[in-house]
Amino acid sequence: MKAGFVQFEPLFGEVDKNLKRVEALIEKADADLLVLPELFNTGYLFTSKHEVIDLSEEVPEGKTTQMLCRMAREKNLCLVGGLAERSGNKFFNSAVLVSPEGYVSTYRKVHLFFEETLWFDPGDKGFEVYDIGECRLGIMICFDWIFPESMRVLSLKGADIICHSSNLVLPFCQDAMITRCLENRVFAVTANRTGTEKRKDKSLHYTGKSQIVASNADLLYRAGGDTEEIGIADIDVEAARNKKLNDYNDLFKDRRPEFYDDLVKTVSAKGERRMAKG
Ligand code: ACM
């Protein structure tokens, strides 16, 4: 199958313009799956809760999800794209998955970054895997990458391709994702944005370099740092289902979860670990 990303520079608060731009880019693409950046319709650098309330949308009723559903139907592909989701009185930094048949599901960012913690509620649905026929997809958003557990859980749940909607500002993720793919033997599409957002006294620069990484850690495509770009690569889904490294090692079968208890112990806000009794 052909999977890829759309990299561009969203304009803060200009939802209609951003949707039009993305529509034109998707129109040009020949792919079965495309990933769009985090918060691609609104921009990233919110400076108040009011802005989040104004720009967030209900899913799937909102115009962003509706536009994605229309494009997925017209182009016969699946799309994953980030948006600010309103659900009752909660607000999530989310990514929706749509297919040619319509809306499929929503992932709500589990690990919020920096001032997102002021504006958004932490994701409350965990990490899910979706079977879209050609492959099984896992979704995560930007800063989720720095917690290896995100991609591990998705991979253990059977994801072949990780769709990684991003607005990256740190320089480490693109290289780290190569290791994430290697340790889980899955493909990953990181869709990043470009440009600098200046809002009030705040400024953030986004690193572009969206990429597609194979399950053997080959870098199949990496975009420029400041280009508007669509990147697409052929994905051999079966390769992600073979976790064997050699005749003696299978990356999943060789795991020793009986020694990994500490990974899932609850840690208090003070960093004190609750010890198991006995
Ligand atoms: C990020 O999570 N947008 C860095």
Side-chain angles (χ1 to χ4, degrees):
M1 66 178 287
K2 286 183 177 176
F5 57 80
V6 172
Q7 171 172 297
F8 78 116
E9 180 175 353
L11 305 171
F12 189 88
E14 305 271 5
V15 175
D16 289 340
K17 276 191 192 158
N18 295 331
L19 294 189
K20 257 191 138 157
R21 191 72 219 127
V22 162
E23 225 180 296
L25 289 164
I26 296 172
E27 187 59 53
K28 285 199 285 194
D30 175 18
D32 304 300
L33 166 69
L34 281 179
V35 185
L36 309 170
E38 176 183 15
L39 296 169
F40 83 89
N41 60 337
T42 58
Y44 179 80
L45 194 46
F46 287 91
T47 58
S48 72
K49 188 87 182 187
H50 272 296
E51 289 177 345
V52 177
I53 293 168
D54 276 357
L55 292 170
S56 56
E57 298 181 17
E58 288 183 340
V59 174
E61 298 84 359
K63 62 181 166 185
T64 300
T65 311
Q66 289 304 309
M67 179 281 276
L68 293 176
C69 287
R70 181 164 48 74
M71 292 309 291
R73 191 171 61 244
E74 283 175 23
K75 294 284 292 180
N76 194 32
L77 48 57
C78 287
L79 293 165
V80 173
L83 78 182
E85 180 197 0
R86 182 171 61 244
S87 174
N89 57 5
K90 292 205 165 182
F91 299 88
F92 299 100
N93 181 343
S94 296
V96 293
L97 166 64
V98 304
S99 80
E101 284 76 47
Y103 167 74
V104 178
S105 196
T106 305
Y107 165 69
R108 294 171 169 166
K109 188 173 184 177
V110 165
H111 303 102
L112 298 175
F113 178 68
F114 196 53
E115 290 185 343
E116 285 170 44
T117 53
L118 303 176
W119 322 129
F120 292 108
D121 294 281
D124 57 357
K125 300 201 309 176
F127 298 99
E128 290 174 40
V129 169
Y130 310 99
D131 192 336
I132 60 162
E134 287 138 316
C135 72
R136 296 185 293 250
L137 294 185
I139 303 176
M140 60 183 205
I141 299 180
C142 206
F143 193 53
D144 283 329
W145 75 267
I146 211 164
F147 302 89
E149 294 86 349
S150 311
M151 210 150 138
R152 185 60 133 192
V153 168
L154 287 170
S155 304
L156 288 173
K157 284 184 159 184
D160 305 307
I161 304 178
I162 307 300
C163 302
H164 183 209
S165 289
S166 296
N167 279 185
L168 293 161
V169 294
L170 301 175
F172 312 110
C173 172
Q174 286 89 342
D175 288 341
M177 284 299 284
I178 294 174
T179 305
R180 295 277 178 281
C181 288
L182 182 67
E183 63 202 7
N184 292 294
R185 288 184 85 84
V186 293
F187 291 80
V189 179
T190 296
N192 196 16
R193 61 160 292 168
T194 58
T196 299
E197 278 184 312
K198 289 195 171 69
R199 311 219 46 248
K200 300 191 177 158
D201 59 341
K202 298 173 198 295
S203 170
L204 282 178
H205 177 70
Y206 304 95
T207 57
K209 299 183 185 169
S210 297
Q211 65 182 24
I212 306 166
V213 182
S215 57
N216 64 357
D218 278 354
L219 183 57
L220 301 178
Y221 194 112
R222 184 174 279 175
D226 57 7
T227 47
E228 182 174 274
E229 205 166 329
I230 299 166
I232 294 168
D234 280 315
I235 303 278
D236 172 13
V237 174
E238 284 307 314
R241 296 185 180 175
N242 176 9
K243 306 297 181 187
K244 267 173 87 93
L245 266 187
N246 55 46
D247 285 348
Y248 301 93
N249 295 110
D250 179 296
L251 279 186
F252 280 13
K253 288 191 188 137
D254 289 357
R255 294 175 65 248
R256 305 286 307 276
E258 67 270 33
F259 295 118
Y260 305 158
D261 285 358
D262 282 334
L263 282 179
V264 289
K265 274 190 185 138
T266 306
V267 177
S268 76
K270 288 184 195 152
E272 294 159 347
R273 204 176 61 208
R274 271 187 235 140
M275 300 299 289
K277 289 219 174 85

